[in-house]
């Protein structure tokens, strides 16, 4: 059901993009603009019972219109879950996650956006059992689809600042955005992007 929602959402975005392009047929076509490319990113924070998540999320993207951005984002995330005899069998878990994937942002209002990002993640896991004093290490792979809503101050061609609250809509138990009960963990991202200067070539 969640995967079907993702497919329908993406189809809706591309349909609207096509409709917008058709509505601009009578306008002068400017083509690719260097000053519509943006670079930046931000930080990711997550808090839930006995756990802490922090990371960096660099990104590169392009503003196709005032209402649509798309690009590719990366992530480097650290997750720590404390040992607790009642919730996780007194096992401490520490993960280092890296990965990335495509994203889009739709701006229904100039200061509000909806974001979706499909991520492939690789996670290096370290588990320590405080009952047996044994440590287990492994490398896992997971897929996430982060959907979120956020506030932005954005001027295409100049810069943007954003704050977003999101969740992982998929149910991969190895996702860095889900807890040990496979419940989605709230994701808070704060970031800043700058646009490239326009080309001087005429």
């Amino acid at each position: 059901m969640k995967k079907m929602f993702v497919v329908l959402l993406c189809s809706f975005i591309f349909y609207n993009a096509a409709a917008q392009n058709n509505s601009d047929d009578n306008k002068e076509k400017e083509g690719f603009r260097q000053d519509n490319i943006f670079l930046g990113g931000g930080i990711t924070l997550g808090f839930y019972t006995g756990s802490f998540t922090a990371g960096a999320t660099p990104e590169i993207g392009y503003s196709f219109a005032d209402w649509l951005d798309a690009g590719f984002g990366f992530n480097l995330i650290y997750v720590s879950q404390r040992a607790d005899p009642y919730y996780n069998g007194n096992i401490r878990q520490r993960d280092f996650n890296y990965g990335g994937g495509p994203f889009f942002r739709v701006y229904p209002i100039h200061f509000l956006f909806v974001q979706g990002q499909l991520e492939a993640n690789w996670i290096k896991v370290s588990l320590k059992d405080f009952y047996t004093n044994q440590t287990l290490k492994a490398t896992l792979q997971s897929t996430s689809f982060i959907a979120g809503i956020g506030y932005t101050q954005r001027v295409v061609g100049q810069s943007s600042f954003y704050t977003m609250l999101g969740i992982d809509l998929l149910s991969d138990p190895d996702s860095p955005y889900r807890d040990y009960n496979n419940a989605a963990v709230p994701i808070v991202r704060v970031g800043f992007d700058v646009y490239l200067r326009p080309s001087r070539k005429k």
Side-chain angles (χ1 to χ4, degrees):
M1 185 68 179
K2 291 181 180 178
K3 291 184 178 179
M4 180 63 69
F5 172 77
V6 171
V7 171
L8 291 175
L9 182 60
C10 291
S11 299
F12 173 77
I13 298 302
F14 288 118
Y15 173 80
N16 279 310
Q20 181 69 25
N21 288 335
N22 289 335
S23 69
D24 291 340
D25 283 343
N26 296 327
K27 296 181 181 180
E28 182 181 355
K29 295 183 178 179
E30 296 182 349
F32 176 82
R33 292 178 57 93
Q34 179 178 313
D35 52 334
N36 279 17
I37 300 173
F38 58 85
L39 300 169
I43 59 173
T44 296
L45 294 174
F47 303 92
Y48 50 103
T49 305
S51 298
F52 170 73
T53 300
T57 55
E59 65 184 19
I60 180 171
Y62 187 85
S63 293
F64 291 92
D66 287 340
W67 61 273
L68 177 63
D69 290 345
F72 199 92
F74 306 89
N75 64 66
L76 297 170
I77 301 173
Y78 172 77
V79 180
S80 175
Q81 180 178 303
R82 75 184 183 200
D84 191 305
Y86 298 102
Y87 292 102
N88 57 17
N90 211 28
I91 297 175
R92 183 192 67 194
Q93 180 171 342
R94 291 179 177 173
D95 301 342
F96 177 72
N97 171 84
Y98 59 94
F103 71 86
F104 64 84
R105 293 189 188 117
V106 177
Y107 301 82
I109 307 174
H110 69 278
F111 60 85
L112 184 72
F113 68 88
V114 177
Q115 176 169 320
Q117 180 170 3
L118 183 65
E119 284 189 354
N121 299 292
W122 289 264
I123 310 103
K124 293 184 179 295
V125 181
S126 176
L127 302 172
K128 184 173 181 179
D129 188 332
F130 280 86
Y131 286 129
T132 64
N133 204 32
Q134 292 182 335
T135 300
L136 173 66
K137 295 184 179 182
T139 300
L140 307 173
Q141 185 176 358
S142 71
T143 302
S144 302
F145 185 85
I146 300 171
I149 186 170
Y151 169 81
T152 183
Q153 295 179 352
R154 169 176 171 265
V155 178
V156 175
Q158 296 184 23
S159 63
S160 69
F161 169 82
Y162 63 88
T163 302
M164 185 195 79
L165 176 64
I167 60 170
D168 181 4
L169 295 183
L170 301 185
S171 56
D172 191 326
D174 295 324
S175 167
Y177 309 110
R178 307 190 77 84
D179 67 13
Y180 51 86
N181 290 318
N182 202 26
V185 176
I187 303 165
V188 178
R189 289 186 176 178
V190 179
F192 184 84
D193 291 315
V194 293
Y195 286 81
L196 300 185
R197 293 183 179 181
S199 173
R200 295 184 179 181
K201 294 182 181 180
K202 295 183 179 180

